Amino acid sequence: MMIVMKEEATPEEIEAVVKRVEDVGARTHVSQGELVTVIGAIGDRERVANLGLEGFPGVDHLTPITKPYKLSSLQFKKGERSVIDVGGRKIGGEHFMTIAGPCTVESRDQMLTSARLVNEAGAQLLRGGAYKPRTSPYSFHGLGQAGLKLLAEAKEETGMPIVTECMDVRDLEAVAEVADVIQLGARNMQNYTLLTEVGRAGIPVLLKRGLSSTLEELLMAAEYILKEGNEDVMLCERGIRTFETAYRFTLDLMAVPVLRELTHLPIVIDPSHAAGKRGLVLPLSLAAAAVGADGIIVETHPEPEAAICDGPQQIYAHEFGDYLRQVEAAAQLAGKVVAGATAV
Ligand code: PEP
Ligand code: MN
């Protein structure tokens, strides 16, 4: 249930409504809009509806939230889109953001070279996995803490905020020290303990869609993070499993306009993991920008042939600038503002 307060409602009136709702065991979420305050009441709908809140001082009206996901619904924000600020770099609303870097942190030289190249090309955030989810238990699983240190060094040198994955609550403290955005990978989208803990960490989150998850399941996963008071969640479509075997995954671009009708959260596209092949990354990125994505996360490597994982899909770092200009132009044509880009 959403309790919409009057424009002139006082803080005491808002507090009184919050207290009344919480007294019957429901949770509240107060959202201060430009003009009005909206109190989200999450819990037993009937009990909240029976409180007679319509008659409370300062209350304008009540609206039920019809979706099973509440805090992530567009309705909850009354149609206003969330803008997430990561160290002064923005995503959401009119802001388009590029996140780029290698699949995994491999060495000091590889990470720092990648960071310099993507920074010079104009990417806003730097990616790199120190903890890697791999299909085979015998594959490389990342450098762990040593990888986090290299990410910290890359951030120190370039000033780029870091996006890196946390796979396990036991690593969260260490990851949170370095990450400006914590990535939750596709395979962990429904790891509810991790979602809750990451929600409590209070650091922006990039939540990837599970390999076979519906959009509703994705939004319900986001809800776990939001309900802990962390409002900075970006959703990421990275390809889903279909019957098609000609490419690694099927990039579900229809998810972008559909999610935009359902949620206020920014939507990021990962063309790299969907494609599995470098040559597909540019056309998919252009399509993502054109269809209204708020950002892309893309893999690039100074020497993809030597990459420990995902080499075939990583863009050559020396070609990254050219790639990025084309994607930024597509995003601008779709009406987005791209930090640092010249107008098209
Ligand atoms: C990644 O981004 O490095 C990754 C492993 O992605 P996903 O979880 O989408 O497979
Ligand atoms: Mn990868």
Side-chain angles (χ1 to χ4, degrees), residues 11-291:
E12 292 74 26
E13 287 168 345
I14 294 168
E15 192 46 47
V17 173
V18 167
K19 186 169 180 322
R20 190 74 192 99
V21 172
E22 290 181 352
D23 279 351
V24 295
R27 295 173 76 126
T28 55
H29 188 282
V30 180
S31 163
Q32 200 93 49
E34 254 175 48
L35 291 178
V36 295
T37 297
V38 177
I39 302 166
I42 298 146
D44 185 334
R45 186 189 295 181
E46 228 166 274
R47 287 186 84 174
V48 176
N50 289 338
L51 289 175
L53 291 168
E54 290 92 339
F56 268 50
V59 172
D60 191 68
H61 65 276
L62 269 58
T63 320
I65 304 177
T66 46
K67 306 282 187 204
Y69 43 88
K70 312 288 178 194
L71 303 173
S72 52
S73 70
L74 187 59
Q75 194 189 1
F76 180 71
K77 281 273 188 131
K78 305 193 93 204
E80 195 185 306
R81 304 214 170 264
S82 285
V83 175
I84 301 178
D85 188 314
V86 185
R89 300 162 191 221
K90 295 194 174 107
I91 181 167
E94 59 176 9
H95 304 278
F96 187 83
M97 182 187 267
T98 307
I99 307 168
C103 177
T104 183
V105 185
E106 298 169 13
S107 68
R108 185 164 185 274
D109 183 41
Q110 171 254 10
M111 197 57 229
L112 293 182
T113 306
S114 303
R116 285 174 199 135
L117 286 165
V118 297
N119 189 38
E120 274 162 28
Q124 277 101 47
L125 266 52
L126 178 64
R127 65 151 288 150
Y131 297 92
K132 295 301 300 177
R134 303 301 299 280
T135 304
S136 166
Y138 309 116
S139 300
F140 173 71
H141 282 80
L143 295 178
Q145 298 242 4
L148 292 176
K149 278 211 186 92
L150 294 175
L151 286 170
E153 206 177 327
K155 175 167 147 181
E156 172 79 27
E157 189 187 308
T158 60
M160 291 185 86
I162 301 292
V163 181
T164 197
E165 178 158 356
C166 181
M167 287 173 54
D168 190 320
V169 281
R170 290 170 293 187
D171 302 317
L172 182 54
E173 214 179 303
V175 171
E177 269 182 37
V178 175
D180 297 282
V181 176
I182 297 180
Q183 176 172 317
L184 291 177
R187 290 154 190 85
N188 261 324
M189 190 201 87
Q190 288 180 314
N191 181 338
Y192 298 121
T193 324
L194 185 58
L195 294 171
T196 301
E197 288 305 319
V198 167
R200 289 179 185 160
I203 295 171
V205 179
L206 178 83
L207 175 65
K208 293 189 123 187
R209 180 181 180 184
L211 276 49
S212 302
S213 299
T214 64
L215 296 182
E216 186 165 304
E217 286 164 342
L218 173 63
L219 291 168
M220 292 306 276
E223 202 74 11
Y224 272 86
I225 302 166
L226 295 164
K227 83 173 195 324
E228 297 305 322
N230 186 345
E231 296 189 357
D232 294 336
V233 180
M234 312 165 201
L235 305 171
C236 179
E237 157 61 33
R238 46 78 70 211
I240 51 172
R241 271 216 205 289
T242 66
F243 56 84
E244 185 54 72
T245 55
Y247 26 81
R248 200 171 174 190
F249 292 96
T250 299
L251 185 63
D252 180 12
L253 284 176
M254 201 153 40
V256 178
V258 171
L259 280 171
R260 283 178 66 81
E261 285 177 7
L262 304 177
T263 181
H264 55 88
L265 299 172
I267 305 153
V268 176
I269 290 288
D270 175 346
S272 306
H273 289 91
K277 277 189 208 144
R278 182 176 308 118
L280 296 174
V281 172
L282 176 63
L284 292 179
S285 305
L286 295 176
V291 82

Side-chain angles (χ1 to χ4, degrees), residues 103 273 299 310 313:
C103 177
H273 289 91
E299 289 188 345
D310 285 350
Q313 73 197 26

